[in-house]
Amino acid sequence: MRRKFIAGNWKLNNNRRQTTDLIEKITAQSRDAKNVDVCVAPVFTSLQSAREAIGSSPIILAAQNVFYEEKGAFTGEIAPSMLVDAGCSAVIIGHSERRQYFGETNETVNKKILASLKVGLTAVVCVGETLEERETGKTNDVIHAQLSGAFKDVPSLEKIIVAYEPVWAIGTGRNATSQQAQDVHAFIRDLARKKYGKGAEELRVIYGGSVKSSNAADLLARPDVDGALVGGASLIAEEFCAIIRLSS
Ligand code: PEP
């Protein structure tokens, strides 16, 4: 039985005080949740405040991005070991907004995964098709290409979580149906099985794209949906914690 993983991607929101406030609310409201991993991903400058606010609670701290080199002349970048130093144990890699606006490719995603695994971070690897790709029947091909690129030279699925996030469902209020999500999640697990064998059964494949408390139960009930990557709704403690409770 795979333990559910519910992550809040806060994107470009929340200064340090807002981060602390939101984490305090999430901690208080998710105290009774069992058998679920809860993760939050604030902006870089709020990571340390987030770490302090999390304290001894089991909330997992993630960054929203990372660079693949450890040091050097790479102005504006953050190394994997620096995320560990700031108290992170996970990192989101390859979010569609990074692919769309910041030139992230399957190759850079792969380098970031390898560098993150090296320092013990859990990599939450995002994949997903655009609306045009879905409508022209290319969803599986796109996911296949993204995952083959991402997993090049990755020795095992330990410390890997895959987030299936159809681009057309992110921030649009239009979520995939639970059947659409299940179909792609099963396809992802199948690809993982071909490359990693039994390890694929432990792999958590989480869904992202306009998840909220009103649609989460249906999505989370599907056999291959092992949690959610939540954007907008994760900024509201009550909403996020309602999704956590549905998973526990
Ligand atoms: C996301 O940012 O990963 C996301 C899924 O956003 P939203 O829930 O707002 O669609």
Side-chain angles (χ1 to χ4, degrees):
M1 181 74 178
R2 294 179 294 269
R3 191 178 161 94
K4 295 269 196 283
F5 188 93
I6 304 295
N9 173 17
W10 292 359
K11 312 195 188 194
L12 184 49
N13 294 289
N14 290 340
N15 61 23
R16 289 184 300 154
R17 188 186 52 72
Q18 292 162 326
T19 292
T20 300
D21 287 351
L22 186 49
I23 287 177
E24 283 171 0
K25 285 187 190 153
I26 292 170
T27 308
Q29 293 177 34
S30 64
R31 198 156 280 152
D32 297 335
K34 300 240 168 4
N35 301 320
V36 54
D37 289 328
V38 177
C39 171
V40 294
V43 296
F44 285 130
T45 50
S46 292
L47 287 175
Q48 199 172 344
S49 302
R51 182 68 266 159
E52 283 160 20
I54 288 170
S56 60
S57 121
I59 292 175
I60 295 163
L61 182 61
Q64 298 174 18
N65 184 31
V66 67
F67 191 51
Y68 47 80
E69 295 291 349
E70 263 305 317
K71 61 182 200 170
F74 303 105
T75 303
E77 295 296 335
I78 309 272
S81 66
M82 291 170 183
L83 295 185
V84 175
D85 188 46
C88 292
S89 55
V91 58
I92 297 170
I93 297 177
H95 191 281
S96 67
E97 287 154 13
R98 298 226 51 94
R99 294 179 191 257
Q100 201 176 341
Y101 305 129
F102 302 101
E104 192 85 273
T105 64
N106 293 337
E107 194 188 351
T108 56
V109 166
N110 174 246
K111 288 180 171 182
K112 290 178 178 190
I113 295 171
L114 292 172
S116 298
L117 293 176
K118 216 181 245 180
V119 299
L121 289 166
T122 292
V124 180
V125 182
C126 303
V127 295
E129 81 287 1
T130 63
L131 187 57
E132 195 202 337
E133 287 161 347
R134 172 159 284 265
E135 287 178 344
T136 51
K138 295 191 185 119
T139 298
N140 287 1
D141 291 345
V142 170
I143 302 291
H144 183 260
Q146 289 175 334
L147 282 180
S148 317
F151 289 161
K152 183 168 173 278
D153 300 329
V154 173
S156 84
L157 292 170
E158 213 185 314
K159 291 197 178 271
I160 298 274
I161 291 171
V162 173
Y164 168 55
E165 298 207 300
V167 178
W168 47 272
I170 298 179
T172 59
R174 178 182 170 189
N175 64 293
T177 64
S178 62
Q179 187 60 55
Q180 285 172 323
Q182 168 59 28
D183 288 347
V184 179
H185 284 225
F187 176 71
I188 290 171
R189 197 175 308 287
D190 228 41
L191 290 177
R193 217 173 262 128
K194 285 190 184 113
K195 183 165 166 111
Y196 296 102
K198 277 199 186 127
E201 310 312 322
E202 306 296 316
L203 173 69
R204 288 183 286 185
V205 184
I206 65 175
Y207 169 79
S210 297
V211 175
K212 36 191 186 292
S213 59
S214 57
N215 59 26
D218 193 24
L219 287 158
L220 292 165
R222 296 293 176 149
D224 286 293
V225 178
D226 304 313
L229 182 52
V230 187
S234 70
L235 297 169
I236 305 158
E238 291 70 22
E239 264 293 294
F240 189 54
C241 292
I243 297 167
I244 293 167
R245 278 193 296 277
L246 286 167
S247 319
S248 76

